[in-house]
Structures are given as structure tokens and as C-alpha cells.
Amino acid sequence: MENTPLISVIIPVYNVQDYVAECLDSIINQSYQNLEIIVINDGTKDNSATICKEYALKDTRIIFLEKENGGISTARNFGLDHATGDFITFIDSDDFIHEKYFEILLKNLEDFDIVFCKANYYFSATPKTSPSKENIDNASVTTFTSMELLKSINSFKRPLVIVPWGKLYKKEIWNDLRYPIGRSHEDEAIVHLYIDKAKKIKYIDLPLYYYRQNVTGSETNTICSRKINNFYQACLEREDFFLKKGMINEANEIYNSGKSYLIRKRMRFNIDNDQITLASILSDKKLFLSTKLELIFKFFFGKKQKQKQA
């Protein structure tokens, strides 16, 4: 590894005028400075693009790109197509990072292919907390082979395993891999593919990424039939992926997780409820008994709740 490898930082931007300056400040003021900061204006409708252009004029490391609005998958893919760094990282434009984020991740990457960290789930109204030097120096780490993390994907530090942010990747991981277009839960659809490409992965138990919780109006806060179906589709694709690798137990687990999510969300939001019947739950041979009992309880409890409200 070179002493100062180049890190490509991919930042999709859409309607974040209140937060993007804090995001960019946290990146340009990093202790590790050899950065290629790729900012993608995904057709933003507010003042975000103007703010980003002003930052690009002040810092030559910032590459400001523009495209028609196509969603976060197209923006991340666009950034990947333009990245020239030795390593890749994604940062959401309403989030920000610890001042030693890149220094610590790069130091821990060593001969690993992916390193990821803990997150601060941050509310703007609360004080910002930061790990002490003692905690940084004595942070615990967990290492995995790709197969070990694939087997733990439903249990280890969710959602940190699933999300693309909070991670530093060797560029080779993304050479022939891109996000699916036009789908919600794009993270769920691709995470097993890049884990499979990595030989060794490391987790650092340090909250170095600040994930902003109180952003209103974003797509992540909107529940709709398309999002529910896309999550289920991602689960079915991962089930198929696991089956092809001979991971039968994991395939069964992800099918149960996905089917349970689909039915519970449809019942909760009254989406296509005519297709959800007690008979369909009982006759599904791939559902665990525990999953069936949970869904039967939800089925009857949901009906009673609706009857009380009527």
C-alpha cells in the first residue's frame, strides 16, 4: 500500500441545502487529506447545487458533477464511473463524519478489502458526541472472511452491515458492480454481492459516522407499496444467491425475514390485504413455524384493531 493512497469520496446530493455544508466541511477538514471528493448533483431542486459549487471553487479536490434526477442508485453509479482513487467510500449528503474518519479506516484496512465502523445516530437538536482518544486507541475490532459475514448478515450490527456508508472499500470491489436502477432498498439488493467479492472484512467498534435522523420529507421516511415490494424482491434475490452457494440455512432465514416483512407491512398499511389470507400463511411450506405463529397473531390482532377503529 502506498503511504498516501487516494480515496474517492462519493456524495450524491439532492435537496439537502440545510445539511450539505456541514457534510462537506467534515470531509475537507479531515486529518487524512489525499481525497478525491466527487459531489453529484442529482437534479436537486433547492440551493444545494449552489452551495456545492461554492465549495468546489474553494477546494480543488472537489469534483462537482451534475446529472438529471434519477435517484440515489444512479448518483452512486455515476460517482463510481468517475472515481479514480485506490479506495472508495460513500457519504450521504445530510450526514457528516468524525475528523479522523479516513485516517482510522485506512489504518485499519491493511490487507482487508472492506472496513466499516459504528455510527452515531444523530439528531440535530442534541449535542454531538465523539469518541475519546482512549477509545480510539483501544477500539475493539471484529474480522470476517466473506463467508463468515454472509452467514452473519442478518444478525451482525444491522443496519451497519447493509448500508453503503460508514465503509471504506478497495476500489476493485466495485470494478464490475453497480447499484440496481429504479428500486428502493438498493442497499439490500447489492450488499451480499460486494461482501462475496471481499476476502477479508473488518468492523471497528467506533462511532465515526454521524447518520442524521431527523431529515423530513426524504424517500427513506416514506413507506409505500413499491418500497415494501422492493425489499421483498431483494430478499428473494439473496435467497437465490445463498442457495447457489449452498447456504441452505441462510437462504431459509432470508426468505422468512422477507416474507414476514412483506405480510406485516401490507397488513399495517392496508396494502393488497385481500391477498393476505390465513390459508396462504399456513400453506407456505418455506415459512418456519415460529414465523407462521407470529404472522397468525398479527393477522388476527390486526383484524381486531381495525374492527375497534371502525
Side-chain angles (χ1 to χ4, degrees), residues 139-154:
S140 63
V141 300
T142 309
T143 61
F144 303 88
T145 64
S146 59
M147 182 61 73
E148 287 170 344
L149 189 54
L150 284 172
K151 289 183 176 182
S152 304
I153 198 169
N154 288 322

Side-chain angles (χ1 to χ4, degrees), residues 56-68:
L57 290 173
K58 293 184 290 185
D59 194 318
T60 57
R61 295 174 300 170
I62 296 177
I63 301 168
F64 181 74
L65 304 174
E66 296 191 272
K67 58 181 286 298
E68 293 183 0

Side-chain angles (χ1 to χ4, degrees), residues 26 30 95-102 104-105 108 115-122 127-141 157 160 165-167 203-212:
S26 74
Q30 284 287 298
D95 299 337
F96 58 99
I97 53 177
H98 184 274
E99 61 185 9
K100 292 188 176 182
Y101 179 79
F102 293 121
I104 294 170
L105 291 187
N108 277 273
V115 60
F116 66 110
C117 66
K118 192 175 180 179
N120 271 301
Y121 293 94
Y122 175 75
K128 186 180 80 170
T129 60
S130 181
S132 66
K133 184 181 185 303
E134 181 181 358
N135 288 339
I136 290 174
D137 292 339
N138 297 288
S140 63
V141 300
K157 302 294 183 183
L160 298 177
W165 46 259
K167 296 183 174 75
Y203 169 72
I204 313 170
D205 193 22
L206 274 177
L208 302 173
Y209 188 99
Y210 293 83
Y211 178 77
R212 195 180 299 273

Side-chain angles (χ1 to χ4, degrees), residues 19 94 122-126 211-218 221:
Y19 313 111
D94 51 357
Y122 175 75
F123 289 86
S124 296
T126 59
Y211 178 77
R212 195 180 299 273
Q213 292 278 296
N214 55 325
V215 179
T216 59
S218 66
N221 292 327

Side-chain angles (χ1 to χ4, degrees), residues 15 35 51 75 98-99 107 131 178 187 198 216 260 278 305:
N15 290 0
L35 307 174
I51 296 170
H98 184 274
E99 61 185 9
K107 179 182 177 181
R178 292 296 185 268
D187 304 338
T216 59
S260 175
L278 186 60
Q305 287 290 96

